[in-house]
């Protein structure tokens, strides 16, 4: 954003909150570029969101603390990988003058009349929700807040954050009377690898305001952004709960699948086969067991309820415990397999396939591969790790692994192979050929992606949830 941003801040821009304009007039102002929009956070979800807002409004400033991100966006480029269509969409929006980027959040806030927050909300070492980035952004917005402004939070938040934290902060630091600005929670419902599709309308958009006017405006705004339905719920707290509940459902369901998967040996059945058959009944939708749960969403969101509210949450806590134990379970399957083959783990070489938390997405946050590497390394094994999707091998090197290129793996010989993330590039890898000549190669299949190796000569197959 140019340095003259402050001098042109919102001159002539219409009020959004509390406007007397009819809905058609507000829609026309929004889509006609009369309402300056600031999107705070240009990360994996923020840049796609800013781009879609730019397509709709033609007047978006993206704010990010990383100067490299700002420079790249202003050159019409995207730093986010693995998002189909994003590079072209950013380039077109910048070329059209619909999207610019800046590191000056306060200047952007002074110019904007619609403020959209989409920055990470994580947990600290004690599993308490960490709202520091969100509140910092809210403070930046408050510095430029004017009567008639509308603030939208898309970052996933613990329920009651808008009501109890963001609203008082904006009011106290912004100097604008409470009745003269709006605040709504409109959670992103977006998956990596399909961000533009999701934002544009793959799913209904949930919106909820801290008051009726905020809810009404959020519904109007996202009626332009999202081609699917817009579901307006009672208030911002309900909308916050919707997003957290989605993540909790998946975590608990995966925890159930993982617990069932650990019964495979005792039941003497292939649990994944049983799950697939059970899911043909319309009231059953059990997820698949696996080596662990990662990413920036599912491992964190249950704590937004467990830690924040004085309510018995045994089911959510148990699911978290089960899922957090799966990396050690997976690593121990490899160690036990080595012992069964007469190999001391301290003398063994193990290859870990897949380091990102899911296929095709360069994201290491809460990846189960890291504790698996740590567990294997602590047992004394020599660990090689490979993943063609990410260039960030430093965490795994610190954990004791040697990070290899996929092209070099075929030249090695290993006592065990552990598949953590089933990257498509691994489909061409001849896994049995990686084993020693004088004994079976231990294969631990953490994603049921190597089931064709069951019963294969030279392979001692162990699958998570798969009985052999």
């Amino acid at each position: 954003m140019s340095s003259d941003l402050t001098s042109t801040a919102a001159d002539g821009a219409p009020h959004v909150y509390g406007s007397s304009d009819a809905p058609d007039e507000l829609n026309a102002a929004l889509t006609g570029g009369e309402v300056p929009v600031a999107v705070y956070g240009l990360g994996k979800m923020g840049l796609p969101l800013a781009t879609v807002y730019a397509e709709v409004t033609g007047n978006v400033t993206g704010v990010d603390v990383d100067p490299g991100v700002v420079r790249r966006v202003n050159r019409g480029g995207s730093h986010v990988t693995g998002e189909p269509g994003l590079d072209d969409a950013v380039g077109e929006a910048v070329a059209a003058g619909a999207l610019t980027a800046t590191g000056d959040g306060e200047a952007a806030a002074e110019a904007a009349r619609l403020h959209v927050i989409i920055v990470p909300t994580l947990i600290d070492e004690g599993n308490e929700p960490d709202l520091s980035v969100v509140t910092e952004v809210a403070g930046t917005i408050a510095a430029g807040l004017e009567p008639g402004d509308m603030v939208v939070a898309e970052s996933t938040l613990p329920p009651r954050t808008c009501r109890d934290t963001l609203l008082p902060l904006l009011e106290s630091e912004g100097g604008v009377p409470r009745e003269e600005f709006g605040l709504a929670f409109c959670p992103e419902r977006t998956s990596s690898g399909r961000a533009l599709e999701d934002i544009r309308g793959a799913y209904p958009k949930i919106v909820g305001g801290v008051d009726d006017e905020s809810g009404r405006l959020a519904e109007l705004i996202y009626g332009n952004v999202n081609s699917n339905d817009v579901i307006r719920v009672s208030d911002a707290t309900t909308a916050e709960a919707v997003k957290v509940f989605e993540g909790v459902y998946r975590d608990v369901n995966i925890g159930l699948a993982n617990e069932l998967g650990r019964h495979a040996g005792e039941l003497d059945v292939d649990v994944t086969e049983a799950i697939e058959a059970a899911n043909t009944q319309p009231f059953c939708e059990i997820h698949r067991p696996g080596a662990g749960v990662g990413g920036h969403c599912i491992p964190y969101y249950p704590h937004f309820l467990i830690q924040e509210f004085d309510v018995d949450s045994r089911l959510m806590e148990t699911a978290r415990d089960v899922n957090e134990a799966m990396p050690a379970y997976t690593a121990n399957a490899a160690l036990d397999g080595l012992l069964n083959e007469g190999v001391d783990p301290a003398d063994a070489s193990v290859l870990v396939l897949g380091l990102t938390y899911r296929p095709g997405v360069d994201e290491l946050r809460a990846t189960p591969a890291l504790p698996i590497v740590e567990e294997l390394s602590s047992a004394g094994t020599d660990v090689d790790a490979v993943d063609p999707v990410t260039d960030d091998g430093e965490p795994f090197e610190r954990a004791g692994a040697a990070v290899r290129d996929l092209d070099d793996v075929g030249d090695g010989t290993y006592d065990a192979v552990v598949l953590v993330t089933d990257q498509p590039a691994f489909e061409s890898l001849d896994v049995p050929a990686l084993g020693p000549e004088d004994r079976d190669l231990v294969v631990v299949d953490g994603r049921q992606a190597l089931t064709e190796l069951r019963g294969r000569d030279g392979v001692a197959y162990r699958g998570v949830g798969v009985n052999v």
Side-chain angles (χ1 to χ4, degrees):
M1 177 62 63
S2 61
S3 60
D4 66 348
L5 185 78
T6 303
S7 63
T8 61
D11 288 349
H15 282 198
V16 181
Y17 182 86
S19 170
S20 59
D21 289 344
D24 288 348
E25 294 172 326
L26 283 174
N27 279 326
L30 183 69
T31 59
E34 297 177 47
V35 179
V37 181
V39 176
Y40 303 83
L42 296 178
K44 289 172 51 182
M45 299 302 159
L47 182 58
L49 181 66
T51 303
V52 174
Y53 258 102
E55 293 171 351
V56 172
T57 71
N59 190 0
V60 173
T61 300
V63 181
D64 202 273
V65 296
D66 187 334
V69 169
V70 171
R71 286 193 298 270
R72 188 158 187 173
V73 171
N74 283 331
R75 290 197 298 264
S78 166
H79 65 288
V80 179
T81 60
E83 288 296 347
L86 183 59
D87 287 346
D88 290 341
V90 171
E92 291 169 6
V94 171
L99 175 65
T100 59
T102 182
D104 190 343
E106 290 193 8
E110 289 176 2
R113 301 283 63 81
L114 172 58
H115 310 266
V116 184
I117 303 171
I118 183 162
V119 293
T121 308
L122 302 177
I123 58 175
D124 61 21
E125 293 182 356
N127 290 330
E128 296 284 346
D130 181 0
L131 299 176
S132 59
V133 179
V134 174
T135 55
E136 181 179 354
V137 169
T140 298
I141 293 170
L145 197 67
E146 293 187 11
D149 279 11
M150 179 69 183
V151 181
V152 171
E154 286 222 3
S155 306
T156 304
L157 301 171
R160 296 210 309 242
T161 299
C162 282
R163 188 190 77 183
D164 295 347
T165 302
L166 297 186
L167 185 62
L169 188 155
L170 291 167
E171 184 177 14
S172 63
E173 296 188 15
V176 177
R178 166 64 199 89
E179 64 274 10
E180 295 185 13
F181 70 91
L183 173 63
F185 184 72
C186 310
E188 58 91 1
R189 309 180 89 189
T190 311
S191 297
S192 295
R194 47 174 295 156
L196 289 177
E197 177 185 0
D198 289 347
I199 294 166
R200 288 169 174 155
Y203 314 108
K205 185 69 176 181
I206 307 299
V207 303
V210 296
D211 53 35
D212 287 342
E213 174 68 357
S214 296
R216 181 186 75 85
L217 285 171
E219 186 175 15
L220 181 147
I221 290 165
Y222 282 98
N224 291 287
V225 173
N226 186 298
S227 62
N228 208 311
D229 294 335
V230 177
I231 300 175
R232 179 181 169 187
V233 297
S234 299
D235 51 29
T237 301
T238 303
E240 291 164 337
V242 168
K243 176 61 176 178
V244 174
F245 288 2
E246 291 173 1
V248 167
Y249 164 78
R250 294 186 64 194
D251 196 49
V252 170
N253 196 318
I254 294 169
L256 170 63
N258 284 333
E259 192 160 284
L260 293 175
R262 297 176 72 152
H263 281 69
E266 291 294 319
L267 292 172
D268 196 24
V269 301
D270 183 335
V271 167
T272 59
E273 178 188 2
I275 287 174
E276 289 173 1
N279 285 348
T280 61
Q281 204 265 12
F283 303 108
C284 188
E285 192 178 346
I286 305 172
H287 291 356
R288 296 177 67 86
V293 179
H296 59 280
C297 299
I298 299 175
Y300 299 102
Y301 296 167
H303 294 294
F304 290 4
L305 297 176
I306 294 170
Q307 302 295 332
E308 288 291 281
F309 300 96
D310 188 18
V311 178
D312 192 351
S313 304
R314 284 178 292 172
L315 180 60
M316 289 184 279
E317 291 172 354
T318 298
R320 277 285 75 229
D321 290 343
V322 170
N323 291 334
E324 288 179 357
M326 290 308 295
Y329 175 86
T330 303
N332 285 326
L335 298 174
D336 291 343
L338 289 169
L339 293 173
N340 285 347
E341 295 299 316
V343 180
D344 186 339
D347 299 325
S349 178
V350 180
L351 174 65
V352 173
L353 294 175
L355 305 180
T356 65
Y357 87 96
R358 57 174 278 203
V361 177
D362 187 4
E363 172 65 77
L364 301 180
R365 195 172 297 162
T367 176
L370 185 57
I372 287 172
V373 166
E374 291 171 341
E375 193 81 17
L376 294 170
S377 296
S378 67
T381 66
D382 290 329
V383 181
D384 282 0
V386 60
D387 193 313
V389 171
T390 184
D391 294 326
D392 186 6
E394 183 179 352
F396 305 95
E397 292 171 345
R398 290 199 305 267
V403 178
R404 308 293 187 191
D405 290 332
L406 181 58
D407 292 340
D408 298 333
V409 167
D411 298 330
T413 299
Y414 298 94
D415 300 294
V417 172
V418 181
L419 178 74
V420 182
T421 309
D422 50 332
Q423 306 287 11
F426 297 151
E427 294 176 4
S428 60
L429 186 64
D430 186 354
V431 173
L434 300 175
E437 296 181 357
D438 57 342
R439 59 179 176 271
D440 288 349
L441 170 68
V442 177
V443 174
V444 178
D445 184 3
R447 301 296 175 187
Q448 303 92 43
L450 300 173
T451 53
E452 73 277 4
L453 298 182
R454 286 185 292 183
R456 175 86 169 264
D457 288 343
V459 173
Y461 176 89
R462 291 174 168 231
V464 176
V466 180
N467 183 49
V468 293

